[in-house]
Amino acid sequence: MAFYTYILASRRHGTLYTGSTDDLIARLWQHREKTRPGSFTAKHGVAVLVWYEVHETRAGAFRRERRIKKWNRLWKLRLIEEMNPGWHDLSNRLNP
């Protein structure tokens, strides 16, 4: 089983959200369908997958999420642009 740390954006250089999950496809659906009204991503329209990383353990994905959340914005932007300079939606890379 794979675990993921991911970053969503509202648009290029827009609002960012960092999270972790064991089912990235399902989690993206929840963000996009705003199944949790009042959540940060629903309020700010954050739903484009711009970066993700695969981990072997839930704890590893969670630790990475917490570490990234403490980073300053510039570091997060650099991380995204190293993997995804065009800020494309990476959800099409995921296998259902």
Side-chain angles (χ1 to χ4, degrees):
M1 175 177 239
F3 302 91
Y4 302 88
T5 305
Y6 62 94
I7 299 176
L8 303 179
S10 59
R11 59 183 167 76
R12 184 182 190 104
H13 295 230
T15 303
L16 302 177
Y17 172 83
T18 304
S20 61
T21 184
D22 62 351
D23 189 343
L24 189 51
I25 293 171
R27 191 70 179 108
L28 284 171
W29 181 86
Q30 292 171 343
H31 286 298
R32 290 176 178 170
E33 295 300 316
K34 298 177 176 68
T35 60
R36 297 179 184 181
S39 70
F40 179 86
T41 56
K43 285 181 188 176
H44 297 280
V46 181
V48 179
L49 179 65
V50 292
W51 179 88
Y52 69 96
E53 193 173 74
V54 181
H55 297 269
E56 292 184 12
T57 65
R58 182 181 315 276
F62 183 72
R63 275 193 307 273
R64 180 71 160 153
E65 172 194 353
R66 291 296 171 204
R67 195 171 300 134
I68 291 170
K69 282 186 173 187
K70 292 179 182 179
W71 288 5
N72 67 50
R73 182 173 173 79
L74 182 60
W75 294 355
K76 294 174 191 178
L77 295 176
R78 284 185 191 151
L79 181 68
I80 293 164
E81 292 188 356
E82 285 174 7
M83 175 190 230
N84 186 6
W87 288 67
H88 301 291
D89 186 352
L90 301 177
S91 60
N92 61 354
R93 291 187 182 181
L94 305 173
N95 295 325

